[in-house]
Structures are given as structure tokens and as C-alpha cells.
Amino acid sequence: MTDATSTSPGPSPLQALRLRLRRGTGDAQPGDHPRTGRSIVPRASVTGNALAAVVAIMTFLAGITIGSVAVVRTVAADWTSDIARETTIEIKPGDALDIQAALTRAVQLAKATPGIADARALDERETASLLEPWLGAGLDVSNLPVPRLIVVTLASDADAQTLAALRAGLARQVPSASLDDHRQWTERLAATARSVVVVGLAVLALVAAATVLCVVFATRAAVDAARGIVEVLHFVGARDTFIAQEFQHHFLAIGLKGGALGGGAAMALFFLGSTLPGWLGINDPVDTLVGAMRLDGHGYGGILGVSVLVALVTAVTSRVTVFRTLRGIT
């Protein structure tokens, strides 16, 4: 005779499955046994770890792209602003031309023009230093037909009329002078910045496509690995949303893990790039490309945003893939 006080057997596999389905769909009853089944998707697997590494690499590449685009745009904007605040008057030497008198007249004319904050002629030493990379040190420009330059600083209220008035005055009073408004360099910088943005968007599109493909293959592999359980759940009446949520939660966790690792590594790289030159005593950003890697708050926010976006794309892609796979189960 069986002892009445013996421990009652646990739920059968079918009862545990039905209990799990009711809990997953919100139909659990008060007398149900505690949930004893495991998740459909294994929490730790070689495929999951490999996908997390792939997501981290993709997020790192995306973060580097976002940060690089932000740095280039910031540098281009700073350079364009500096160029827009200054213009240059060039006086070419000629026969019977008093170069010093021409410089003086041009400086006086520039200072008298509305919208000009200051004008200063470069002396012979400064002119020689500009030519030093090509002609060497110790150059005596007084004995050479070298053009002389006047640096003109524009006021905050300067506009196109200011440069037009200055150009017209130079044509009347100093015919040997020409005004360079640096428009060509400004247009080149703007074109370069636009090109970098386009290339960055293309790289992000490729990274997103590669991430989606990796998640699709990983999701299909996970569904195939748990195909028996998925088919049983499907045939006994489990909702597709319940099955998809199991995979979505799993891959969302992988996406968050990979996104955190990749995004954190990208942020750390830019942080070191902005602080390392100071530690090494390099204060001029022109001396090194690393010294120019200064990322502002918008750049770090962009890297954080792309990390979260990669995790969401991973979860949504896995959910869509599971739904499409379930439709193929007959």
C-alpha cells in the first residue's frame, strides 16, 4: 500500500508545459504549481557569446563612425568660423611701386571701411616665416619681389557689402592690391564635411545591415536548436507573441551587452584621444591627429544612442525572424 504521507509527484511534462503557457499568456490559476521549466532559449551558449562579440564589434565601429563624423564637423565648423572672421589683402610688388606706402594706404583704407574691426600688415620677419618651409630660414624678403600681406579682421556685423566696399576702395586707391575673402577654402571645407557625413552614413548603413544579418542567422539557429520545444508550444496553442517574446528578451539582453561593450570602448577611445595629448605635453592639436579627437557632449550622446539602437535592432530583428519562422511551421 502506498504511504499516504509520501511526497506527491511533481507535475508531468505536459502539465508543466501547460502551466508555463498559462503563465506566459496570463492565464495561470491560483492552484498552479510554481514555474519549473527553463527558458526556451538557452541563456548561455556559444552562439549567444559569439553574437554578443559581433554586436560589440559592430557597435564599436558604429560609435567610431559617429564620433569621427562629429569631430570632423566640429573641426570644420571651427576652421570655417576662423576663416570667415578674417580676410587677406595681397599687394604685389611692381616697377616704381613703393611697397611700404601701398601697405600703409591699404591698412588705412581697411580700417576706415565699415564692418572692419582691425587691419595689420605683416612685417618682413613674419613674411619670411611664412616662406620658410619652401625657401628656408634666414630669408631677406627686402631683396626679393615677394608679395606683402595685410590681415584684415572682420567685425561681427560684417557682411558681403563690407567686402564689396573694401574691394572697390582698393581698386581705386591701391590698384596693385587684391582681396582674398577665403571663399574657396570655405567651400572646400564645407564640401569635405558633407563628404565625411555621407561616408559616415554609408558606413552606418553597412554596419546596420551586417548586424541585422548576423541576428537573423543567430535567431534561426536558436529556433532550430529549440525547434522541438517551439513546435510543441505552437501546436498546443501557445501564442506566437509568447514564443517570440522569449527569443526577443534573450536577444535584447545580448544586444544590450554587446552595445554596452562596443559603445563603452568607442567612448573610451575618444576620451583617451582627447586627454592623452595633454598627458604627453602636446598642447597643439595640429601637431598630431590624436590631439584633434575632441568629442563634445553631442558626440558622446550619439555613441550612446547608437549603442541603444543596436540593442533595439537586435531585439526587433529576432522577433520578426521568429514570427516568420513560426509561419513556416505547419
Side-chain angles (χ1 to χ4, degrees):
M1 178 181 297
T2 304
D3 188 0
T5 61
S6 61
T7 304
S8 61
S12 66
L14 181 59
Q15 291 174 336
L17 180 60
R18 289 175 177 173
L19 171 60
R20 184 177 180 182
L21 293 177
R22 288 196 298 269
R23 289 186 177 275
T25 56
D27 298 332
Q29 303 299 323
D32 288 338
H33 290 282
R35 178 175 177 175
T36 58
R38 295 181 179 180
S39 174
I40 299 176
V41 189
R43 294 302 178 188
S45 65
V46 176
T47 304
N49 295 334
L51 181 60
V54 171
V55 171
I57 294 173
M58 294 300 177
T59 307
F60 177 76
L61 294 177
I64 291 297
T65 303
I66 291 290
S68 299
V69 170
V71 168
V72 171
R73 292 192 63 181
T74 301
V75 172
D78 293 341
W79 286 359
T80 302
S81 178
D82 293 339
I83 292 175
R85 286 196 298 265
E86 289 185 350
T87 187
T88 304
I89 299 175
E90 179 182 357
I91 300 180
K92 299 179 180 179
D95 296 337
L97 175 65
D98 188 347
I99 191 72
Q100 293 298 333
L103 286 172
T104 301
R105 287 198 303 272
V107 169
Q108 292 175 351
L109 176 63
K111 290 183 176 180
T113 303
I116 301 298
D118 190 21
R120 182 180 67 87
L122 300 182
D123 56 24
E124 294 182 355
R125 181 181 56 82
E126 292 173 316
T127 304
S129 64
L130 293 176
L131 299 174
E132 184 175 338
W134 294 273
L135 302 180
L139 181 66
D140 186 5
V141 297
S142 61
N143 298 325
L144 296 175
V146 177
R148 301 295 297 275
L149 301 178
I150 300 174
V151 178
V152 179
T153 303
L154 301 178
S156 58
D157 57 348
D159 52 15
Q161 297 297 327
T162 300
L163 297 179
L166 179 58
R167 184 175 285 107
L170 291 173
R172 291 192 306 268
Q173 301 185 28
V174 191
S176 60
S178 60
L179 180 64
D180 182 8
D181 57 1
H182 304 159
R183 182 180 304 172
Q184 181 180 4
W185 292 104
T186 303
E187 293 175 353
R188 288 184 179 180
L189 283 174
T192 301
R194 289 193 297 267
S195 300
V196 170
V197 171
V198 171
V199 172
L201 292 177
V203 172
L204 288 178
L206 292 176
V207 169
T211 304
V212 169
L213 290 176
C214 291
V215 174
V216 169
F217 291 136
T219 303
R220 289 178 178 175
V223 173
D224 289 339
R227 191 173 185 85
I229 300 177
V230 171
E231 289 180 350
V232 171
L233 289 172
H234 186 69
F235 285 127
V236 299
R239 298 176 182 176
D240 291 350
T241 54
F242 166 70
I243 301 175
Q245 282 178 356
E246 291 287 320
F247 286 90
Q248 180 181 347
H249 294 162
H250 173 73
F251 284 99
L252 177 60
I254 292 178
L256 290 174
K257 178 181 177 181
L261 291 175
M267 291 183 183
L269 178 63
F270 282 102
F271 177 77
L272 290 177
S274 61
T275 58
L276 188 60
W279 297 345
L280 298 178
I282 303 175
N283 297 320
D284 189 0
V286 179
D287 292 341
T288 175
L289 293 176
V290 179
M293 293 175 57
R294 299 187 182 278
L295 199 63
D296 56 7
H298 294 88
Y300 286 109
I303 296 177
L304 179 60
V306 79
S307 301
V308 176
L309 182 61
V310 168
L312 294 178
V313 168
T314 302
V316 173
T317 302
S318 66
R319 183 181 182 88
V320 173
T321 304
V322 171
F323 272 119
R324 295 186 63 179
T325 304
L326 292 177
R327 293 193 187 101
I329 299 177
T330 57

